[in-house]
Structure formats: structure tokens, C-alpha cells
Amino acid sequence: MWLFVFFDLPVGTKVERRNATRFRNFLKDDGFLMLQLSVYARVMRGEEAVEKHLARVTKNLPPKGSVRTLSVTERQYARMKLLIGESTKNEKAAPQQLVLL
């Protein structure tokens, strides 16, 4: 399974920028890959892992902004279409990571 985190955080003040940076750093430290500037994803072994990391994301939410999550199966993730640009090295390696877990 995959857990996506989508967010739109305010960055108008120094405190807001710090909160947004802390949240992004938390996601990276927790194993999420950046797909786009405010879209991160992490491969999971199953529903229990999704719930565990969802709780971790919830615990590390910034005080302001909009944060959404979405969990999808590997099969649903594989149906994603990249319409313009190229896949990152992390995106290309991610399906292999699932096999290695």
C-alpha cells in the first residue's frame, strides 16, 4: 500500500516557514518520498503500517494549513499516469523497495 500526504501550508512569516520546513523534514525522516513540492508518498506493508504512519503524521501536524492523506493499493498506484516531465529516481526505485521489504 501507499500513503500519500498532500499539504498546503502558509509560509508568510518566519514562524510559518519554520513550521512548514519541520513538517517536510519530518515526512522525509519518516521515509516519505517527495513526488511534487507538496505531495509526499510512502510505501507500506499493509493497513497496520498505514495506520501507524498516519498517527505519526497527525502527531507532527503544523498548527496552520491544510494537510490531507490518501492510502491506495500498489495496484492503484501503478495506474498513476505521469502526463508531463519525468519520474524521479526515487519514484523509479520505489516499486523495487516494496519487493525488498
Side-chain angles (χ1 to χ4, degrees):
M1 296 201 67
W2 285 82
L3 179 61
F4 285 85
V5 178
F6 310 90
F7 57 91
D8 185 14
L9 304 177
V11 291
T13 68
K14 188 174 183 176
V15 171
E16 290 172 339
R17 285 190 296 278
R18 185 180 318 123
N19 288 335
T21 299
R22 284 181 181 162
F23 186 66
R24 283 192 308 276
N25 287 337
F26 158 74
L27 291 172
K28 288 189 265 183
D29 292 344
D30 200 39
F32 284 82
L33 307 172
M34 184 176 75
L35 297 181
Q36 291 183 244
L37 288 177
S38 296
V39 180
Y40 284 68
R42 187 182 197 287
V43 67
M44 309 277 173
R45 285 191 169 180
E47 283 292 330
E48 285 184 22
V50 168
E51 292 302 320
K52 171 186 159 187
H53 287 278
L54 185 56
R56 291 173 58 107
V57 169
T58 302
K59 183 178 177 184
N60 286 277
L61 288 173
K64 294 180 181 177
S66 174
V67 179
R68 291 174 169 80
T69 64
L70 174 68
S71 59
V72 299
T73 65
E74 180 65 27
R75 189 174 188 178
Q76 291 167 324
Y77 179 83
R79 294 181 60 198
M80 184 184 336
K81 303 280 188 245
L82 178 62
L83 301 179
I84 189 169
E86 296 183 17
S87 298
T88 65
K89 290 179 183 178
N90 286 339
E91 287 177 286
K92 292 174 185 173
Q96 295 170 355
Q97 291 173 357
L98 182 63
V99 174
L100 297 176
L101 295 176

